[in-house]
Short mmCIF file of all heavy atoms in Angstrom, two decimals:
data_model
loop_
_atom_site.label_atom_id
_atom_site.label_comp_id
_atom_site.label_asym_id
_atom_site.label_seq_id
_atom_site.Cartn_x
_atom_site.Cartn_y
_atom_site.Cartn_z
N ALA P 8 -7.05 -4.10 0.50
CA ALA P 8 -5.61 -4.24 0.30
C ALA P 8 -5.22 -4.05 -1.17
O ALA P 8 -4.20 -3.45 -1.47
CB ALA P 8 -5.14 -5.61 0.80
N LYS P 9 -6.06 -4.58 -2.08
CA LYS P 9 -5.78 -4.49 -3.51
C LYS P 9 -7.07 -4.15 -4.23
O LYS P 9 -8.16 -4.49 -3.78
CB LYS P 9 -5.23 -5.82 -4.03
CG LYS P 9 -3.89 -6.23 -3.45
CD LYS P 9 -3.49 -7.63 -3.93
CE LYS P 9 -3.35 -7.66 -5.42
NZ LYS P 9 -2.88 -8.99 -5.90
N LEU P 10 -6.93 -3.50 -5.38
CA LEU P 10 -8.11 -3.11 -6.14
C LEU P 10 -8.95 -4.30 -6.55
O LEU P 10 -10.19 -4.24 -6.55
CB LEU P 10 -7.68 -2.32 -7.38
CG LEU P 10 -8.81 -1.73 -8.24
CD1 LEU P 10 -9.67 -0.78 -7.42
CD2 LEU P 10 -8.23 -1.01 -9.46
N ASP P 11 -8.31 -5.44 -6.85
CA ASP P 11 -9.08 -6.60 -7.30
C ASP P 11 -9.88 -7.25 -6.17
O ASP P 11 -10.68 -8.15 -6.42
CB ASP P 11 -8.20 -7.62 -8.01
CG ASP P 11 -7.16 -8.25 -7.10
OD1 ASP P 11 -7.18 -8.03 -5.87
OD2 ASP P 11 -6.29 -8.98 -7.62
N ARG P 12 -9.68 -6.83 -4.91
CA ARG P 12 -10.53 -7.32 -3.82
C ARG P 12 -11.91 -6.67 -3.90
O ARG P 12 -12.88 -7.21 -3.36
CB ARG P 12 -9.89 -7.07 -2.46
CG ARG P 12 -8.60 -7.85 -2.20
CD ARG P 12 -8.78 -9.35 -2.44
NE ARG P 12 -8.62 -9.71 -3.84
CZ ARG P 12 -9.07 -10.85 -4.36
NH1 ARG P 12 -9.71 -11.72 -3.60
NH2 ARG P 12 -8.88 -11.12 -5.63
N LEU P 13 -12.00 -5.52 -4.56
CA LEU P 13 -13.31 -4.96 -4.88
C LEU P 13 -13.85 -5.68 -6.10
O LEU P 13 -14.91 -6.28 -6.07
CB LEU P 13 -13.19 -3.46 -5.16
CG LEU P 13 -12.91 -2.57 -3.95
CD1 LEU P 13 -12.70 -1.14 -4.40
CD2 LEU P 13 -14.03 -2.65 -2.93
N SER P 14 -13.08 -5.64 -7.17
CA SER P 14 -13.47 -6.34 -8.40
C SER P 14 -12.38 -6.19 -9.43
O SER P 14 -11.53 -5.30 -9.34
CB SER P 14 -14.78 -5.78 -8.96
OG SER P 14 -15.14 -6.43 -10.16
N ARG P 15 -12.37 -7.09 -10.43
CA ARG P 15 -11.51 -6.95 -11.60
C ARG P 15 -12.31 -6.48 -12.80
O ARG P 15 -11.81 -6.49 -13.92
CB ARG P 15 -10.85 -8.30 -11.90
CG ARG P 15 -9.92 -8.75 -10.79
CD ARG P 15 -9.30 -10.09 -11.10
NE ARG P 15 -8.38 -10.50 -10.06
CZ ARG P 15 -7.69 -11.64 -10.05
NH1 ARG P 15 -7.83 -12.47 -11.07
NH2 ARG P 15 -6.88 -11.94 -9.07
N ASP P 16 -13.54 -6.06 -12.56
CA ASP P 16 -14.44 -5.65 -13.63
C ASP P 16 -14.62 -4.13 -13.58
O ASP P 16 -15.05 -3.58 -12.57
CB ASP P 16 -15.78 -6.36 -13.48
CG ASP P 16 -16.72 -6.03 -14.62
OD1 ASP P 16 -16.69 -6.76 -15.63
OD2 ASP P 16 -17.48 -5.05 -14.50
N VAL P 17 -14.30 -3.46 -14.67
CA VAL P 17 -14.34 -2.00 -14.68
C VAL P 17 -15.76 -1.48 -14.48
O VAL P 17 -15.96 -0.45 -13.82
CB VAL P 17 -13.72 -1.45 -15.98
CG1 VAL P 17 -14.51 -1.85 -17.20
CG2 VAL P 17 -13.56 0.06 -15.89
N ALA P 18 -16.75 -2.19 -15.01
CA ALA P 18 -18.13 -1.74 -14.85
C ALA P 18 -18.56 -1.80 -13.39
O ALA P 18 -19.27 -0.93 -12.89
CB ALA P 18 -19.07 -2.58 -15.71
N PHE P 19 -18.10 -2.83 -12.69
CA PHE P 19 -18.42 -2.97 -11.27
C PHE P 19 -17.79 -1.83 -10.48
O PHE P 19 -18.42 -1.23 -9.61
CB PHE P 19 -17.92 -4.32 -10.76
CG PHE P 19 -18.29 -4.60 -9.33
CD1 PHE P 19 -19.50 -5.18 -9.01
CD2 PHE P 19 -17.43 -4.28 -8.30
CE1 PHE P 19 -19.85 -5.44 -7.69
CE2 PHE P 19 -17.76 -4.52 -6.97
CZ PHE P 19 -18.98 -5.11 -6.68
N ILE P 20 -16.52 -1.52 -10.76
CA ILE P 20 -15.84 -0.43 -10.07
C ILE P 20 -16.55 0.89 -10.33
O ILE P 20 -16.75 1.71 -9.42
CB ILE P 20 -14.37 -0.33 -10.52
CG1 ILE P 20 -13.60 -1.60 -10.12
CG2 ILE P 20 -13.70 0.90 -9.93
CD1 ILE P 20 -13.45 -1.81 -8.64
N ALA P 21 -16.97 1.10 -11.57
CA ALA P 21 -17.69 2.32 -11.91
C ALA P 21 -18.98 2.43 -11.11
O ALA P 21 -19.36 3.51 -10.63
CB ALA P 21 -17.99 2.36 -13.41
N ASN P 22 -19.68 1.29 -10.95
CA ASN P 22 -20.91 1.28 -10.17
C ASN P 22 -20.64 1.62 -8.70
O ASN P 22 -21.43 2.31 -8.05
CB ASN P 22 -21.58 -0.09 -10.27
CG ASN P 22 -22.92 -0.12 -9.56
OD1 ASN P 22 -23.76 0.76 -9.73
ND2 ASN P 22 -23.14 -1.15 -8.75
N LEU P 23 -19.52 1.15 -8.17
CA LEU P 23 -19.18 1.47 -6.79
C LEU P 23 -18.92 2.97 -6.61
O LEU P 23 -19.24 3.54 -5.57
CB LEU P 23 -17.93 0.69 -6.35
CG LEU P 23 -18.12 -0.80 -6.10
CD1 LEU P 23 -16.79 -1.42 -5.67
CD2 LEU P 23 -19.18 -1.06 -5.05
N MET P 24 -18.35 3.60 -7.63
CA MET P 24 -18.08 5.03 -7.51
C MET P 24 -19.36 5.83 -7.36
O MET P 24 -19.38 6.90 -6.75
CB MET P 24 -17.31 5.51 -8.75
CG MET P 24 -15.94 4.87 -8.95
SD MET P 24 -14.80 5.09 -7.56
CE MET P 24 -14.90 3.48 -6.76
N VAL P 25 -20.47 5.31 -7.91
CA VAL P 25 -21.76 5.98 -7.81
C VAL P 25 -22.29 5.97 -6.38
O VAL P 25 -23.12 6.80 -6.01
CB VAL P 25 -22.78 5.31 -8.77
CG1 VAL P 25 -24.15 5.96 -8.67
CG2 VAL P 25 -22.28 5.40 -10.20
N GLN P 26 -21.80 5.04 -5.56
CA GLN P 26 -22.28 4.92 -4.18
C GLN P 26 -21.86 6.10 -3.32
O GLN P 26 -22.34 6.26 -2.21
CB GLN P 26 -21.74 3.62 -3.56
CG GLN P 26 -22.05 2.36 -4.33
CD GLN P 26 -23.53 2.07 -4.41
OE1 GLN P 26 -24.25 2.26 -3.44
NE2 GLN P 26 -23.98 1.59 -5.56
N ARG P 27 -20.95 6.91 -3.80
CA ARG P 27 -20.49 8.10 -3.09
C ARG P 27 -19.90 7.76 -1.71
O ARG P 27 -20.09 8.48 -0.74
CB ARG P 27 -21.60 9.14 -2.95
CG ARG P 27 -22.11 9.65 -4.29
CD ARG P 27 -23.07 10.81 -4.15
NE ARG P 27 -23.53 11.27 -5.44
CZ ARG P 27 -22.85 12.08 -6.24
NH1 ARG P 27 -21.66 12.51 -5.88
NH2 ARG P 27 -23.35 12.45 -7.41
N VAL P 28 -19.21 6.66 -1.68
CA VAL P 28 -18.45 6.27 -0.49
C VAL P 28 -16.98 6.22 -0.91
O VAL P 28 -16.65 5.58 -1.91
CB VAL P 28 -18.89 4.89 0.04
CG1 VAL P 28 -17.95 4.41 1.14
CG2 VAL P 28 -20.32 4.97 0.58
N PRO P 29 -16.12 6.90 -0.20
CA PRO P 29 -14.70 6.87 -0.59
C PRO P 29 -14.09 5.49 -0.40
O PRO P 29 -14.43 4.77 0.54
CB PRO P 29 -14.04 7.90 0.34
CG PRO P 29 -14.97 8.03 1.49
CD PRO P 29 -16.35 7.77 0.97
N PHE P 30 -13.20 5.13 -1.31
CA PHE P 30 -12.48 3.86 -1.23
C PHE P 30 -10.99 4.15 -1.13
O PHE P 30 -10.48 5.06 -1.76
CB PHE P 30 -12.76 2.99 -2.46
CG PHE P 30 -14.13 2.41 -2.50
CD1 PHE P 30 -15.18 3.09 -3.10
CD2 PHE P 30 -14.38 1.17 -1.92
CE1 PHE P 30 -16.45 2.55 -3.12
CE2 PHE P 30 -15.66 0.63 -1.94
CZ PHE P 30 -16.69 1.32 -2.54
N ILE P 31 -10.32 3.33 -0.32
CA ILE P 31 -8.87 3.42 -0.20
C ILE P 31 -8.29 2.06 -0.57
O ILE P 31 -8.72 1.04 -0.03
CB ILE P 31 -8.42 3.80 1.22
CG1 ILE P 31 -8.91 5.22 1.58
CG2 ILE P 31 -6.90 3.74 1.34
CD1 ILE P 31 -8.61 5.61 3.01
N VAL P 32 -7.32 2.04 -1.47
CA VAL P 32 -6.61 0.83 -1.84
C VAL P 32 -5.19 0.98 -1.29
O VAL P 32 -4.47 1.89 -1.72
CB VAL P 32 -6.59 0.63 -3.36
CG1 VAL P 32 -5.83 -0.65 -3.72
CG2 VAL P 32 -8.01 0.58 -3.91
N THR P 33 -4.81 0.13 -0.36
CA THR P 33 -3.54 0.34 0.35
C THR P 33 -2.35 0.40 -0.60
O THR P 33 -1.43 1.19 -0.41
CB THR P 33 -3.30 -0.75 1.41
OG1 THR P 33 -3.14 -2.02 0.77
CG2 THR P 33 -4.46 -0.82 2.38
N GLU P 34 -2.36 -0.43 -1.67
CA GLU P 34 -1.22 -0.47 -2.57
C GLU P 34 -1.13 0.75 -3.47
O GLU P 34 -0.09 1.01 -4.07
CB GLU P 34 -1.26 -1.75 -3.43
CG GLU P 34 -0.94 -2.99 -2.64
CD GLU P 34 -0.78 -4.21 -3.52
OE1 GLU P 34 -1.39 -4.23 -4.61
OE2 GLU P 34 -0.05 -5.13 -3.14
N LEU P 35 -2.22 1.51 -3.55
CA LEU P 35 -2.20 2.71 -4.37
C LEU P 35 -1.99 3.98 -3.55
O LEU P 35 -1.68 5.03 -4.09
CB LEU P 35 -3.51 2.84 -5.16
CG LEU P 35 -3.81 1.72 -6.16
CD1 LEU P 35 -5.15 1.95 -6.83
CD2 LEU P 35 -2.71 1.62 -7.20
N GLY P 36 -2.18 3.87 -2.23
CA GLY P 36 -1.99 5.03 -1.37
C GLY P 36 -3.30 5.71 -1.03
O GLY P 36 -4.36 5.42 -1.60
N ALA P 37 -3.22 6.65 -0.09
CA ALA P 37 -4.42 7.29 0.45
C ALA P 37 -4.96 8.41 -0.43
O ALA P 37 -6.09 8.87 -0.23
CB ALA P 37 -4.13 7.82 1.85
N ASP P 38 -4.17 8.88 -1.38
CA ASP P 38 -4.55 10.09 -2.13
C ASP P 38 -5.11 9.82 -3.52
O ASP P 38 -5.31 10.76 -4.28
CB ASP P 38 -3.33 11.01 -2.25
CG ASP P 38 -2.79 11.44 -0.89
OD1 ASP P 38 -3.62 11.63 0.01
OD2 ASP P 38 -1.57 11.58 -0.76
N VAL P 39 -5.36 8.56 -3.85
CA VAL P 39 -5.89 8.24 -5.18
C VAL P 39 -7.39 8.53 -5.20
O VAL P 39 -8.15 7.98 -4.39
CB VAL P 39 -5.62 6.77 -5.54
CG1 VAL P 39 -6.25 6.44 -6.89
CG2 VAL P 39 -4.13 6.51 -5.58
N ASP P 40 -7.82 9.38 -6.12
CA ASP P 40 -9.24 9.76 -6.14
C ASP P 40 -10.06 8.74 -6.93
O ASP P 40 -9.52 7.88 -7.62
CB ASP P 40 -9.41 11.18 -6.72
CG ASP P 40 -8.91 11.30 -8.15
OD1 ASP P 40 -8.97 10.30 -8.89
OD2 ASP P 40 -8.47 12.40 -8.53
N PRO P 41 -11.40 8.82 -6.82
CA PRO P 41 -12.28 7.84 -7.50
C PRO P 41 -12.04 7.76 -9.00
O PRO P 41 -12.13 6.68 -9.58
CB PRO P 41 -13.69 8.36 -7.17
CG PRO P 41 -13.53 9.10 -5.89
CD PRO P 41 -12.18 9.74 -5.97
N PHE P 42 -11.77 8.87 -9.63
CA PHE P 42 -11.54 8.85 -11.08
C PHE P 42 -10.34 7.98 -11.42
O PHE P 42 -10.38 7.18 -12.36
CB PHE P 42 -11.31 10.27 -11.58
CG PHE P 42 -10.93 10.34 -13.04
CD1 PHE P 42 -11.89 10.15 -14.02
CD2 PHE P 42 -9.62 10.56 -13.43
CE1 PHE P 42 -11.55 10.21 -15.37
CE2 PHE P 42 -9.27 10.61 -14.76
CZ PHE P 42 -10.23 10.43 -15.74
N MET P 43 -9.27 8.09 -10.64
CA MET P 43 -8.08 7.30 -10.90
C MET P 43 -8.33 5.82 -10.63
O MET P 43 -7.79 4.95 -11.32
CB MET P 43 -6.91 7.81 -10.07
CG MET P 43 -6.38 9.16 -10.52
SD MET P 43 -5.96 9.19 -12.30
CE MET P 43 -4.70 7.90 -12.38
N LEU P 44 -9.14 5.51 -9.62
CA LEU P 44 -9.48 4.10 -9.37
C LEU P 44 -10.19 3.52 -10.59
O LEU P 44 -9.94 2.38 -10.97
CB LEU P 44 -10.39 3.98 -8.14
CG LEU P 44 -9.75 4.22 -6.78
CD1 LEU P 44 -10.79 4.05 -5.68
CD2 LEU P 44 -8.58 3.27 -6.54
N HIS P 45 -11.06 4.31 -11.19
CA HIS P 45 -11.76 3.86 -12.40
C HIS P 45 -10.77 3.61 -13.53
O HIS P 45 -10.85 2.61 -14.25
CB HIS P 45 -12.79 4.92 -12.79
CG HIS P 45 -13.79 4.45 -13.80
ND1 HIS P 45 -14.89 5.17 -14.15
CD2 HIS P 45 -13.85 3.31 -14.53
CE1 HIS P 45 -15.59 4.52 -15.06
NE2 HIS P 45 -14.98 3.39 -15.31
N ILE P 46 -9.82 4.52 -13.69
CA ILE P 46 -8.82 4.37 -14.74
C ILE P 46 -7.96 3.13 -14.50
O ILE P 46 -7.69 2.35 -15.42
CB ILE P 46 -7.93 5.62 -14.81
CG1 ILE P 46 -8.75 6.84 -15.24
CG2 ILE P 46 -6.75 5.40 -15.76
CD1 ILE P 46 -9.38 6.73 -16.61
N TYR P 47 -7.51 2.93 -13.25
CA TYR P 47 -6.70 1.75 -12.93
C TYR P 47 -7.46 0.47 -13.25
O TYR P 47 -6.90 -0.50 -13.77
CB TYR P 47 -6.32 1.76 -11.46
CG TYR P 47 -5.17 2.68 -11.11
CD1 TYR P 47 -5.26 3.54 -10.03
CD2 TYR P 47 -4.00 2.69 -11.86
CE1 TYR P 47 -4.21 4.40 -9.69
CE2 TYR P 47 -2.95 3.53 -11.54
CZ TYR P 47 -3.06 4.38 -10.45
OH TYR P 47 -2.02 5.22 -10.13
N ALA P 48 -8.76 0.45 -12.92
CA ALA P 48 -9.56 -0.75 -13.18
C ALA P 48 -9.68 -1.01 -14.67
O ALA P 48 -9.57 -2.15 -15.13
CB ALA P 48 -10.95 -0.58 -12.57
N ALA P 49 -9.88 0.05 -15.46
CA ALA P 49 -10.00 -0.10 -16.91
C ALA P 49 -8.70 -0.62 -17.51
O ALA P 49 -8.69 -1.51 -18.36
CB ALA P 49 -10.39 1.24 -17.55
N LEU P 50 -7.58 -0.06 -17.06
CA LEU P 50 -6.28 -0.51 -17.55
C LEU P 50 -6.02 -1.96 -17.18
O LEU P 50 -5.54 -2.76 -17.99
CB LEU P 50 -5.18 0.38 -16.98
CG LEU P 50 -5.11 1.81 -17.54
CD1 LEU P 50 -4.10 2.64 -16.75
CD2 LEU P 50 -4.75 1.79 -19.02
N ALA P 51 -6.34 -2.31 -15.93
CA ALA P 51 -6.09 -3.68 -15.48
C ALA P 51 -6.90 -4.69 -16.29
O ALA P 51 -6.40 -5.75 -16.66
CB ALA P 51 -6.43 -3.81 -13.99
N GLU P 52 -8.17 -4.35 -16.56
CA GLU P 52 -9.02 -5.25 -17.32
C GLU P 52 -8.46 -5.48 -18.73
O GLU P 52 -8.38 -6.61 -19.22
CB GLU P 52 -10.43 -4.68 -17.40
CG GLU P 52 -11.44 -5.59 -18.06
CD GLU P 52 -12.85 -5.02 -18.01
OE1 GLU P 52 -13.51 -5.15 -16.96
OE2 GLU P 52 -13.27 -4.41 -19.01
N LYS P 53 -8.03 -4.41 -19.38
CA LYS P 53 -7.48 -4.51 -20.73
C LYS P 53 -6.14 -5.25 -20.74
O LYS P 53 -5.90 -6.11 -21.58
CB LYS P 53 -7.30 -3.11 -21.32
CG LYS P 53 -6.81 -3.11 -22.77
CD LYS P 53 -7.82 -3.76 -23.70
CE LYS P 53 -7.39 -3.64 -25.15
NZ LYS P 53 -8.35 -4.31 -26.05
N GLU P 54 -5.28 -4.92 -19.77
CA GLU P 54 -3.95 -5.55 -19.71
C GLU P 54 -4.06 -7.05 -19.48
O GLU P 54 -3.35 -7.84 -20.11
CB GLU P 54 -3.13 -4.90 -18.60
CG GLU P 54 -2.67 -3.49 -18.95
CD GLU P 54 -2.32 -2.66 -17.74
OE1 GLU P 54 -2.37 -3.22 -16.61
OE2 GLU P 54 -2.00 -1.48 -17.88
N ARG P 55 -4.97 -7.46 -18.59
CA ARG P 55 -5.13 -8.90 -18.31
C ARG P 55 -5.56 -9.63 -19.57
O ARG P 55 -5.08 -10.72 -19.86
CB ARG P 55 -6.15 -9.11 -17.19
CG ARG P 55 -5.59 -8.96 -15.80
CD ARG P 55 -6.57 -9.50 -14.77
NE ARG P 55 -7.88 -8.90 -14.91
CZ ARG P 55 -8.24 -7.75 -14.34
NH1 ARG P 55 -7.37 -7.09 -13.63
NH2 ARG P 55 -9.46 -7.27 -14.50
#
C-alpha cells in the first residue's frame, strides 16, 4: 500500500531492487519503475 511497508531505509530498498522482482506501491501507481522507487526512498529518508 505504501513504500514504507517495504522499508524506510534506502539501503534496504536498494537491496530489494537486486531481487529482480517487480514492486508496485499503490500510492505511487502501477507505472513507477524500480529506479524511481529507489529515488523516492532516498528522498523520504533525507526528508524525515
